[in-house]
């Protein structure tokens, strides 16, 4: 059987023995706790040499009531001063027993300093987290299974102009201007379990609609049932506006404001696909301003640009929403007309031709052309067309014929 002295020294916690108010034994863990370089710095000394003075009275009282066979003292926190003068918070528990024929007190001390350091770190971490939470740009939110908001971050004040308490307890869909957006989000969350950068819109307290990006995950209860949603959303209105502007610039002719060549050809491809799948007929017209080179030569390119702008405005005013006018390059324009048949498309083309004929350009104070005309080549879609180029080539040949026949007219491709 192990000797009690050996057991004392093997214990990982700080343990010491007091007889007649003198420390008679201290294990290695106790020496480390008291920062003693040798056992002589502890053994032979009175407990009062290590107890912090404000706690001394309480320490003496606890020790004085201990007797063998009497209940042990309940753990309590005290401060002790180490051999090197450091102050440490310890959790003390003590009990009376017989040691070598004498009444003695066995004391167990647990260093709480590390715990206090951890608590201080946790408090600091909590303060840092709270500061981050209070100042973050994204809005944290959490809803229950019914879509009712149970928590929302303070960033909602800046983004929606409302206080968190005005949102908590209400359904999140109340801030969606379009129910379809909320429904799409719900379906995505239920199907995928999470979403990232999911698009949507919300309404601010001042009535302004903003674009948002949502990154969220579904919450599950202990049985795996859907219990709500947790995540972040942010105001991306400026980003979306920039994206829309970039798309507009990528598809817009900067001079005239109408579709550029790329956008026009993309729309023509879409019309060709619809013709194949739905049988929806359309015509592609190519328009070229007559004698435009002489306008640039006589009046300069600035005046030529002005003519192009007025020409585009005149044609644009005569087409319907299903049609598209685009600038293919220089003074050449394309026009898509969605009509029941070739006769209806040609009638619309003749209307455009007259509109241009009747156009009177406003003066600029430096002279310039008073009017302009255009030549038009028209090609209707055919069952054998495989590419938009098939229509472009027929329309281009018809345009060439219109110019050869005297300009200011529309020629329909065979």
């Amino acid at each position: 059987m192990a000797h009690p002295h050996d057991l004392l020294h093997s214990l990982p916690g700080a343990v010491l023995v007091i007889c007649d108010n003198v420390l008679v034994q201290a294990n290695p863990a106790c020496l480390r706790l008291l920062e003693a370089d040798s056992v002589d710095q502890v053994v032979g000394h009175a407990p009062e040499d290590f107890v912090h003075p404000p706690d001394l009275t309480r320490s003496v009282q606890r020790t004085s009531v201990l007797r063998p066979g009497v209940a042990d003292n309940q753990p309590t926190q005290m401060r002790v001063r180490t051999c090197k003068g450091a102050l440490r918070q310890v959790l003390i528990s003590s009990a009376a027993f017989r040691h070598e024929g004498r009444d003695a007190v066995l004391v167990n001390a647990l260093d709480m300093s590390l715990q206090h350091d951890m608590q201080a770190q946790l408090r600091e971490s909590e303060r840092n987290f709270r500061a981050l939470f209070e100042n973050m740009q994204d809005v944290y939110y959490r809803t229950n299974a019914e879509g009712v908001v149970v928590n929302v971050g303070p960033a909602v004040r800046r983004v929606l102009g409302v206080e968190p308490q005005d949102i908590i307890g209400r359904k999140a869909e109340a801030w969606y201007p379009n129910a379809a957006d909320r429904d799409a989000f719900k379906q995505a969350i239920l199907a995928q379990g999470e979403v990232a950068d999911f698009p949507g819109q919300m309404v601010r307290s001042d009535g302004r609609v903003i674009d948002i990006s949502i990154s969220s995950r579904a919450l599950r209860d202990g049985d795996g049932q859907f219990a709500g949603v947790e995540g972040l959303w942010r105001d991306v209105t400026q980003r979306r506006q920039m994206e829309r502007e970039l798309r507009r610039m990528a598809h817009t002719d900067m001079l005239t404001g109408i579709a550029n060549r790329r956008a026009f050809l993309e729309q023509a491809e879409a019309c060709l696909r619809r013709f194949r799948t739905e049988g929806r007929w359309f015509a592609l017209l190519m328009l070229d301003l007559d004698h435009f080179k002489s306008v640039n030569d006589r009046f300069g390119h600035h005046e030529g640009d002005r003519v192009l702008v007025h020409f585009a405005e005149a044609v644009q005013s005569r087409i319907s929403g299903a049609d598209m006018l685009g600038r293919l390059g220089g003074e050449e324009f394309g026009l898509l007309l969605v009509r029941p048949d070739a006769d209806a498309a040609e009638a619309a083309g003749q209307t455009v031709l007259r509109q241009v004929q009747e156009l009177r350009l406003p003066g600029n104070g430096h002279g310039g052309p008073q009017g302009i005309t255009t030549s038009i080549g028209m090609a209707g879609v055919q069952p054998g067309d495989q590419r938009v180029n098939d229509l472009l080539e027929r329309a281009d040949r018809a345009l060439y014929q219109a110019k050869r026949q005297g300009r200011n007219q529309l020629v329909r491709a065979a």
Side-chain angles (χ1 to χ4, degrees):
M1 175 179 284
H3 191 277
H5 180 273
D6 296 331
L7 290 175
L8 183 70
H9 278 64
S10 65
L11 292 174
V15 180
L16 54 88
V17 178
I18 304 173
C19 286
D20 298 327
N21 204 41
V22 175
L23 303 178
V24 296
Q25 282 191 27
N27 71 350
C30 181
L31 299 182
R32 290 193 295 272
L33 173 63
L34 295 177
E35 295 186 304
D37 296 327
S38 68
V39 69
D40 294 338
Q41 289 183 285
V42 177
V43 173
H45 290 265
E48 292 85 351
D49 293 343
F50 300 99
V51 178
H52 191 45
D55 295 336
L56 187 56
T57 300
R58 187 157 53 95
S59 173
V60 172
Q61 288 174 345
R62 284 171 58 86
T63 305
S64 65
V65 298
L66 285 173
R67 295 288 185 276
V70 179
D72 302 342
N73 278 329
Q74 293 299 312
T76 186
Q77 292 192 37
M78 287 189 183
R79 288 162 292 183
V80 299
R81 190 168 297 280
T82 71
C83 295
K84 296 183 178 179
L87 198 63
R88 289 185 173 176
Q89 187 88 11
V90 296
L91 184 66
I92 297 288
S93 59
S94 53
F97 77 114
R98 295 289 292 177
H99 176 68
E100 298 179 352
R102 294 185 296 170
D103 289 342
V105 177
L106 182 70
V107 179
N108 180 46
L110 177 64
D111 187 359
M112 301 294 290
S113 302
L114 179 59
Q115 180 177 342
H116 282 280
D117 290 343
M118 291 177 63
Q119 291 175 346
Q121 291 175 12
L122 287 173
R123 287 192 295 269
E124 179 64 21
S125 177
E126 173 64 18
R127 283 193 294 269
N128 292 336
F129 172 77
R130 181 55 53 184
L132 176 64
F133 191 63
E134 292 283 341
N135 294 286
M136 67 188 300
Q137 298 298 303
D138 295 347
V139 177
Y140 166 83
Y141 77 99
R142 184 170 182 168
T143 68
N144 62 19
E146 289 72 40
V148 176
V149 179
V150 296
N151 196 1
V152 67
V156 76
R157 296 190 188 100
R158 175 184 55 80
V159 179
L160 290 185
V162 295
E163 292 297 319
Q165 59 266 26
D166 296 330
I167 291 183
I168 294 174
R170 298 180 60 185
K171 286 199 170 185
E173 61 191 31
W175 280 268
Y176 278 76
N178 302 309
D181 288 350
R182 179 65 184 177
D183 293 341
F185 171 72
K186 287 180 180 178
Q187 292 171 4
I189 278 287
L190 292 174
Q192 304 167 25
E194 62 182 9
V195 297
D197 200 22
F198 195 89
Q201 289 185 321
M202 283 191 172
V203 182
R204 281 178 46 85
S205 60
D206 58 10
R208 181 164 59 90
V209 176
I210 62 171
D211 293 300
I212 62 170
S213 168
I214 313 171
S215 296
S216 303
R217 66 185 181 95
L219 301 174
R220 303 284 175 181
D221 60 20
D223 298 324
Q225 298 300 310
F226 177 72
V229 177
E230 179 183 53
L232 301 170
W233 54 264
R234 66 178 55 179
D235 182 355
V236 293
T237 304
Q238 290 185 339
R239 190 182 88 187
R240 292 282 189 261
Q241 288 175 343
M242 184 176 295
E243 291 172 353
R244 286 191 285 267
E245 179 61 16
L246 289 174
R247 285 195 295 271
R248 187 193 69 80
M249 292 174 64
H251 290 79
T252 303
D253 177 62
M254 291 298 100
L255 174 64
T256 62
I258 63 174
N260 59 16
R261 183 182 184 89
R262 173 185 174 183
F264 179 83
L265 294 179
E266 287 178 356
Q267 182 64 15
E269 290 283 359
C271 288
L272 184 57
R273 287 194 298 271
R274 281 195 297 270
F275 173 72
R276 291 173 183 162
T277 58
E278 305 171 15
R280 190 178 183 186
W281 196 90
F282 73 98
L284 189 153
L285 285 66
M286 293 185 66
L287 298 77
D288 190 275
L289 272 69
D290 296 329
H291 306 296
F292 184 74
K293 183 177 182 301
S294 64
V295 173
N296 281 332
D297 292 342
R298 291 181 57 192
F299 305 108
H301 288 281
H302 179 75
E303 185 63 20
D305 289 346
R306 194 170 75 96
V307 170
L308 293 174
V309 170
H310 285 289
F311 169 81
E313 291 175 349
V315 177
Q316 188 75 25
S317 67
R318 303 304 302 178
I319 63 176
S320 67
D323 304 328
M324 174 181 273
L325 175 68
R327 186 182 179 193
L328 303 181
E331 71 274 23
E332 190 173 75
F333 293 77
L335 179 60
L336 294 171
L337 296 176
V338 180
R339 296 293 186 275
D341 52 37
D343 290 340
E346 182 173 353
Q350 293 291 352
T351 299
V352 168
L353 191 69
R354 290 191 296 274
Q355 180 73 9
V356 175
Q357 289 173 345
E358 297 168 0
L359 178 64
R360 290 297 173 263
L361 301 175
N364 62 1
H366 304 288
Q370 298 300 305
I372 54 175
T373 59
T374 183
S375 298
I376 303 176
M378 174 185 137
V381 66
Q382 298 176 358
D385 290 332
Q386 298 298 315
R387 307 168 303 149
V388 170
N389 276 347
D390 296 336
L391 285 93
L392 285 171
E393 290 172 0
R394 293 201 303 276
D396 188 56
R397 289 195 295 270
L399 173 62
Y400 179 71
Q401 184 177 346
K403 286 186 172 294
R404 287 188 59 187
Q405 293 176 181
R407 296 184 172 85
N408 191 24
Q409 58 185 284
L410 182 152
V411 171
R412 188 163 89 184

